[in-house]
Amino acid sequence: MAVAEGAAGNHDHARRGGHADAASARPVAEHLDWILGQLPILEPVRVPLEHALGLALAEDVTSATDTPPFDNSAMDGYAVRRADLLAATPMSPVVLPVVADLAAGTAQNPRIDAGQVARIMTGAPIPDGADAVVPIEDTDRGIDRVGILRVPEPAAHIRRAGSDAAAGDTILRAGTTLWPTRIAAAASAGRAELLVHPAPRVAVISTGDELIVPGTPARRGQIPDSNSYLLAAAVAQAGGVVHRIGAVPDNEESLRTVLDSLIGTVDAIILSGGVSVGAYDVVKAVLAPLGVWFGPVRMQPGKPQGFGRLPAAGTGSNSTTGKTGSAGSAALGPIVFALPGNPVSAFVSFEAFVRPALLFMGGHGTTTRPTITGTVARGWSSPSGRQQYMPVVCERRGQETLVWPATSGGSGSHLVAGLGQAEGLAIVPEESDTVAEGDLLPVMLVI
Amino acid sequence: MAVAEGAAGNHDHARRGGHADAASARPVAEHLDWILGQLPILEPVRVPLEHALGLALAEDVTSATDTPPFDNSAMDGYAVRRADLLAATPMSPVVLPVVADLAAGTAQNPRIDAGQVARIMTGAPIPDGADAVVPIEDTDRGIDRVGILRVPEPAAHIRRAGSDAAAGDTILRAGTTLWPTRIAAAASAGRAELLVHPAPRVAVISTGDELIVPGTPARRGQIPDSNSYLLAAAVAQAGGVVHRIGAVPDNEESLRTVLDSLIGTVDAIILSGGVSVGAYDVVKAVLAPLGVWFGPVRMQPGKPQGFGRLPAAGTGSNSTTGKTGSAGSAALGPIVFALPGNPVSAFVSFEAFVRPALLFMGGHGTTTRPTITGTVARGWSSPSGRQQYMPVVCERRGQETLVWPATSGGSGSHLVAGLGQAEGLAIVPEESDTVAEGDLLPVMLVI
């Protein structure tokens, strides 16, 4: 359904030479949904716990045994029978024989009879017969016999078997992103490896005859490629495995060669540049005939967007020209994002579409950035009819977060230096044309 | 000064057998300051841009040239002399000859005389004589001659040389953490490599005879090691290079051998377990004679803490016994954190002390987690005289963030499964003994 609309939009767009008014351009949310609806989810793989950080679970994890697996001591002290100690006070300690010494890790289970205690360390199993632990601080620290100064509460300082999780309990669900604490939970449940979705392998390509490698001499007309570094780092932060190609010139054959080299080795390709209405828009020239959608999205910056999938046969295959396939089809190659070339536009497009897509492919249940409500500290203007993403600095003041533009030139899409100060993207709805001090806006946190 | 106090605290502590009341235990902030005051900052290294993500700059980055380096077009369109077009309207376009075709990357600079225009693509240099750009949408898209439908604003769609940064401007400061947008700013400034502080190399060791490798069969008394996975993943998230050793038994000679193997290969060692008052506290037995401080900190969980530096000669050298040196001394080996063994205690200790320390060593200007103000949705109790770190779930509601305990058992320090749900640590001040619904608390975001 969404795909069919997309294809129709593509034809409209081609007929009209890439120039569309606000009404025919796609809303941001619709474009994102359309993209997500076409994405494959990467086939699960088994990884050792140590390689699981940041990946998404592809299975529910249940506790194989009770956690902890046995009653154990929460303190260093003495395992006792509480009934023996009802008279204990600091002035008249109850003195009892110490019949065992139980370290953490011991397999011993000496029977504690009435009038006996065992010395016990944190984590050691509670021996049969004992029903409470007296911390070492409440004793005279005796070795053969110990004086106990206080009566413990019933079951004091005993961690019960299964109190963290009972055998069979689900402790982590499929789709969960594996943070450190969650990896620890899997380890505690006795898991050495986990079924996860792998990190997507992502190639990053800048296009443009004006681009040179940073640090090499520039002649008039040339600028350093910054987008491939920007997008490669953003992919890495989103958990992807990066293959940064760098800058490819505005030459269709060069671009086809590079793209074909990536078939079968990456899951996604991110291009920037070459997607607007100009005469040298090589990305569109190469990809549109293969069925990749190009068109305007109602956002600012980032209006010209492209998305699709390469044919598995590569760019040279006429037989696949113009076909668009369904997600997961064996005849399809990597997904392709064609982003605008201005750095701020490329960054905003990444955050709006590419990052959610990479997380979705990686099986993550949550694909959105944390979003807060920001209070505007200094206003700006916004284009009516387009959803604006304004890079903002954020400052927390109590429960409020003040935000203001990170770039002196507003969302001007070439302002890389100012963009480096942005901690969030404030999202201004399509219908607004001005943002005033005191306005409340959703702010997507990007760091 | 702080170091001297620490040493004195150590002696007191040793005399009193590790049992200290709240008054003699250190406040959290004081312990952190004491740690930070002893840390070396890692020697800067040069890395290519692609290896800079997440590291801290060790130099100011200035723009070598103007950015952008030349006036260029912000749109696909025509470079014009505005004075020629004052009469242009959609009804009576001004038609002019197109004397050049300027793609992005071109070195051409054709003189545009009165009555002439050049076709120009986004990013191409503005030719001499032209003073505005008319977007293609405001023309008839002519090739040899073009009809222009609207008079442009003065200097319309020209991005001025230096408008992002002027030559010599500082665009990034030493201590800055290199996010994607900042790496892009360095690339735009023509930098291929950057002077950065390297990521600290960190060994992670669990101690305890009760610990087994997850997934291997457990007998009575044994549990899977989860802390080494927890702390290794936390180190990786904090940007460290992890060397996870795993579990070492409660045996002094084993621990000494492992520690000695790490001298010269890591910058920091994180141990968990073996730091409380028990008879089998091997970590303390091995490290305290080497001058590593052990003592109570006024926090919950995480009260028993240890911190110091190994001698460069390792654990076997009597000549270094008992010495504490100043930060950066050549005679000192890796820093050592000895954290409590309960997983929640270990995690909280990592967040409170280790993560800031690793970031500090890595030269980061910001070593703290983002902290928000949370509104308590469900209360809990807190020990008076200790600063509590309660793992909490966070839910944003407009400008408010509601928080409630992630673990049913409060901050119970063995509750690994619940800890996996925590997105923040709510910090309850020492003087509070109860937290009520509606209370506002600082919440350190940990994901």
Side-chain angles (χ1 to χ4, degrees):
Chain A
M1 180 71 165
V3 176
E5 284 170 20
N10 187 16
H11 296 152
D12 283 356
H13 174 64
R15 253 202 320 276
R16 301 169 63 246
H19 190 43
D21 57 30
S24 75
R26 281 190 187 166
V28 171
E30 181 182 318
H31 186 57
L32 177 59
D33 285 347
W34 176 75
I35 289 170
L36 296 180
Q38 296 173 77
L39 296 177
I41 295 180
L42 302 176
E43 283 298 315
V45 293
R46 276 192 186 281
V47 297
L49 282 187
E50 289 181 84
H51 296 167
L53 180 62
L55 298 175
L57 268 176
E59 59 171 339
D60 289 348
V61 173
T62 55
S63 199
T65 61
D66 284 348
T67 305
F70 45 84
D71 290 358
N72 68 94
S73 178
M75 301 287 279
D76 295 329
Y78 296 82
V80 301
R81 297 167 70 107
R82 181 172 179 269
D84 295 339
L85 302 170
L86 299 177
T89 69
M91 284 306 162
S92 63
V94 173
V95 181
L96 295 174
V98 180
V99 298
D101 190 4
L102 302 172
T106 186
Q108 287 181 57
N109 188 10
R111 171 81 201 171
I112 305 300
D113 288 318
Q116 298 180 333
V117 305
R119 197 162 168 241
I120 193 165
M121 296 297 126
T122 306
I126 303 292
D128 286 348
D131 58 16
V133 171
V134 176
I136 198 168
E137 292 86 345
D138 291 344
T139 73
D140 65 6
R141 298 161 193 254
I143 302 294
D144 297 325
R145 301 176 63 79
V146 63
I148 292 183
L149 314 180
R150 280 185 188 83
V151 58
E153 298 292 313
H157 307 300
I158 293 178
R159 298 193 288 223
R160 289 291 175 204
S163 59
D164 195 0
D169 278 2
T170 298
I171 57 165
L172 297 169
R173 296 208 174 271
T176 298
T177 302
L178 290 160
W179 304 330
T181 52
R182 291 168 173 183
I183 292 172
S188 286
R191 295 294 300 268
E193 52 178 31
L194 294 170
L195 191 68
V196 299
H197 297 282
R201 301 160 301 169
V202 184
V204 176
I205 304 171
S206 298
T207 66
D209 281 342
E210 75 277 24
L211 302 178
I212 59 171
V213 172
T216 59
R219 59 158 174 71
R220 174 181 166 86
Q222 294 181 322
I223 59 169
D225 165 30
S226 62
N227 278 355
S228 78
Y229 297 93
L230 171 71
L231 294 170
V235 166
Q237 266 198 338
V241 177
V242 184
H243 177 28
R244 194 185 64 83
I245 307 281
V248 171
D250 284 326
N251 171 301
E252 294 188 20
E253 204 42 45
S254 298
L255 183 57
R256 282 197 190 94
T257 305
V258 169
L259 292 173
D260 286 342
S261 76
L262 297 170
I263 305 285
T265 66
V266 300
D267 303 303
I269 299 170
I270 308 174
L271 294 140
S272 64
V275 297
S276 63
V277 297
Y280 300 91
D281 287 340
V282 167
V283 169
K284 194 190 287 182
V286 167
L287 293 179
L290 296 171
V292 172
W293 177 88
F294 286 87
V297 172
R298 294 214 293 268
M299 63 194 288
Q300 194 257 350
K303 182 177 157 192
Q305 296 287 332
F307 174 79
R309 277 184 90 169
L310 282 191
T315 61
S317 164
N318 290 320
S319 68
T320 57
T321 299
K323 284 190 188 170
T324 55
S326 61
S329 160
L332 290 173
I335 65 161
V336 184
F337 282 96
L339 310 183
N342 287 320
V344 181
S345 305
F347 179 69
V348 165
S349 303
F350 182 89
E351 290 292 334
F353 306 121
V354 185
R355 190 175 190 282
L358 297 180
L359 291 172
F360 186 94
M361 290 174 81
H364 294 269
T366 301
T367 60
T368 52
R369 291 273 204 186
T371 298
I372 61 168
T373 301
T375 306
V376 173
R378 198 169 72 231
W380 64 85
S381 63
S382 177
S384 179
R386 294 207 268 163
Q387 181 168 306
Q388 188 188 45
Y389 289 82
M390 172 61 82
V392 290
V393 179
C394 301
E395 187 178 301
R396 294 203 164 85
R397 296 248 182 101
Q399 288 188 285
E400 218 174 40
T401 301
L402 300 181
V403 301
W404 61 90
T407 59
S408 54
S411 66
S413 50
H414 62 301
L415 297 165
V416 176
L419 184 62
Q421 308 313 313
E423 297 155 75
L425 293 172
I427 301 175
V428 185
E430 284 187 13
E431 53 276 17
S432 298
D433 60 4
T434 167
V435 175
E437 187 180 330
D439 283 359
L440 301 182
L441 288 177
V443 178
M444 188 192 297
L445 298 178
V446 296
I447 63 163
Chain B
M1 182 66 170
V3 176
E5 284 171 19
N10 188 14
H11 296 153
D12 284 356
H13 174 66
R15 252 199 322 274
R16 301 171 61 248
H19 190 43
D21 58 29
S24 75
R26 282 189 186 166
V28 172
E30 181 182 316
H31 186 57
L32 177 59
D33 285 348
W34 176 76
I35 289 169
L36 296 180
Q38 297 173 75
L39 295 176
I41 295 180
L42 302 176
E43 283 299 315
V45 293
R46 275 191 188 284
V47 297
L49 282 188
E50 287 182 84
H51 296 166
L53 179 63
L55 298 175
L57 268 176
E59 60 172 339
D60 289 347
V61 173
T62 55
S63 198
T65 61
D66 284 348
T67 304
F70 45 84
D71 291 359
N72 68 93
S73 178
M75 300 287 281
D76 295 329
Y78 296 82
V80 302
R81 298 168 69 107
R82 181 171 178 270
D84 296 339
L85 302 171
L86 299 178
T89 69
M91 286 305 163
S92 63
V94 173
V95 179
L96 295 174
V98 180
V99 300
D101 190 5
L102 303 172
T106 185
Q108 286 181 56
N109 188 10
R111 171 81 199 171
I112 306 301
D113 288 318
Q116 298 181 336
V117 305
R119 196 161 167 243
I120 193 165
M121 297 298 126
T122 305
I126 302 292
D128 286 348
D131 58 16
V133 170
V134 176
I136 198 168
E137 292 86 347
D138 291 343
T139 73
D140 65 6
R141 299 162 190 253
I143 303 294
D144 297 326
R145 302 176 62 78
V146 64
I148 292 185
L149 314 180
R150 281 185 187 85
V151 57
E153 297 293 312
H157 307 301
I158 293 178
R159 298 193 290 222
R160 289 291 175 203
S163 58
D164 195 1
D169 278 1
T170 298
I171 57 165
L172 297 168
R173 296 208 176 270
T176 298
T177 302
L178 290 160
W179 305 330
T181 51
R182 292 169 173 182
I183 292 172
S188 286
R191 295 295 300 270
E193 51 178 34
L194 293 170
L195 192 67
V196 298
H197 297 283
R201 302 161 301 169
V202 184
V204 176
I205 304 171
S206 298
T207 65
D209 280 342
E210 75 277 24
L211 302 178
I212 57 171
V213 173
T216 59
R219 59 158 174 71
R220 175 180 165 86
Q222 294 182 321
I223 58 169
D225 166 30
S226 63
N227 278 355
S228 77
Y229 297 92
L230 172 71
L231 295 169
V235 166
Q237 266 197 339
V241 177
V242 184
H243 177 29
R244 193 185 65 84
I245 307 281
V248 171
D250 284 327
N251 171 302
E252 295 188 21
E253 205 43 44
S254 297
L255 183 57
R256 283 198 190 92
T257 305
V258 169
L259 292 173
D260 286 343
S261 76
L262 297 170
I263 306 285
T265 65
V266 299
D267 304 303
I269 299 170
I270 308 174
L271 294 141
S272 63
V275 298
S276 63
V277 296
Y280 300 90
D281 286 340
V282 167
V283 169
K284 193 191 288 183
V286 168
L287 293 178
L290 297 170
V292 172
W293 178 89
F294 287 86
V297 173
R298 294 214 292 268
M299 64 194 288
Q300 194 257 350
K303 182 177 159 192
Q305 295 287 333
F307 174 80
R309 277 183 89 170
L310 282 191
T315 61
S317 165
N318 289 321
S319 67
T320 57
T321 299
K323 282 188 189 172
T324 54
S326 62
S329 160
L332 290 173
I335 65 161
V336 184
F337 282 95
L339 309 184
N342 287 321
V344 181
S345 305
F347 179 68
V348 164
S349 303
F350 182 90
E351 290 292 334
F353 306 120
V354 186
R355 191 174 189 282
L358 297 180
L359 292 171
F360 186 94
M361 291 174 80
H364 295 268
T366 301
T367 61
T368 51
R369 290 274 203 184
T371 298
I372 62 168
T373 300
T375 305
V376 173
R378 197 167 74 231
W380 64 85
S381 64
S382 177
S384 179
R386 294 207 268 164
Q387 181 168 306
Q388 187 188 45
Y389 289 82
M390 173 61 82
V392 290
V393 178
C394 301
E395 185 178 303
R396 294 203 164 85
R397 295 249 182 101
Q399 289 188 285
E400 219 174 38
T401 301
L402 300 183
V403 301
W404 61 90
T407 59
S408 55
S411 66
S413 49
H414 62 303
L415 299 165
V416 176
L419 184 63
Q421 308 312 315
E423 297 155 74
L425 292 172
I427 302 175
V428 186
E430 284 188 13
E431 53 277 17
S432 299
D433 60 5
T434 168
V435 175
E437 186 181 331
D439 282 359
L440 301 182
L441 288 178
V443 177
M444 187 192 298
L445 299 178
V446 297
I447 62 161

